[in-house]
Amino acid sequence: MRSANYLLVLLLVLSPWAKAEETPEQGAQSAITDQYGYYGLEPEIVTNYVTDSNRLGYIRVSIELMLEDANNLAIVEHHAPLIRSTIIEILGEQNKEKIQSLTGREEIRRYCFETVNQLLEQEVGEPLLVNLLFTKFLYQ
């Protein structure tokens, strides 16, 4: 039993120096993924939505925009107020069932992604986003 523990410790200690060789395809793949950039919409978006009984509920969302090229961060930052306004409008139009269900949240996220990408394409001439991520999604 003790020898097994020593062997495990030895393997853990030596593992950082034992690096597998990287193939050219893996090197090209890592170079491609290194180009991605992320832009977080700050501060979080807090807005209202209408519930079934015509009462207002609120939603609080943190959003990260995944960019195809990190060099486009300045462009996205320049258009951040327009992006924020569009997302607030989309969230305010949603009903309670859609906001509270997992599939509904995914539909909202996809709709926000598609709309923001189309908006950026109109403004810049090309879609810049790879994905739009909800990193926090709270509702009441």
Side-chain angles (χ1 to χ4, degrees):
M1 183 67 171
R2 262 192 156 159
S3 62
N5 287 341
Y6 288 126
L7 182 61
L8 181 60
V9 169
L10 182 63
L11 286 174
L12 289 174
V13 169
L14 294 178
S15 65
W17 289 283
K19 183 178 178 184
E21 286 189 34
E22 190 175 82
T23 64
E25 294 84 18
Q26 289 172 331
Q29 182 68 22
S30 68
I32 291 171
T33 57
D34 289 344
Q35 292 297 314
Y36 289 134
Y38 290 91
Y39 180 80
L41 288 177
E42 295 293 331
E44 297 174 336
I45 293 177
V46 179
T47 189
N48 293 317
Y49 67 94
V50 179
T51 63
D52 295 335
S53 59
N54 289 332
R55 295 180 57 196
L56 290 178
Y58 84 90
I59 184 169
R60 182 176 178 178
V61 181
S62 293
I63 295 177
E64 296 283 331
L65 303 174
M66 184 177 178
L67 307 176
E68 193 170 350
D69 187 357
N71 296 323
N72 293 329
L73 283 171
I75 296 170
V76 172
E77 184 176 9
H78 176 73
H79 292 289
L82 183 60
I83 293 169
R84 174 181 287 281
S85 173
T86 302
I87 293 172
I88 288 171
E89 187 177 318
I90 290 170
L91 292 173
E93 295 172 348
Q94 304 305 315
N95 61 29
K96 180 180 178 181
E97 289 77 26
K98 196 174 251 190
I99 286 177
Q100 292 182 352
S101 74
L102 291 174
T103 56
R105 280 186 248 174
E106 178 60 19
E107 287 176 24
I108 295 169
R109 188 198 65 78
R110 283 191 182 161
Y111 184 65
C112 287
F113 166 68
E114 291 166 0
T115 305
V116 168
N117 226 9
Q118 289 171 358
L119 184 67
L120 287 171
E121 187 172 8
Q122 288 173 355
E123 295 295 319
V124 180
E126 63 178 318
L128 301 177
L129 300 184
V130 174
N131 209 343
L132 182 143
L133 308 167
F134 289 157
T135 54
K136 182 189 290 183
F137 194 95
L138 303 172
Y139 61 86
Q140 181 179 18

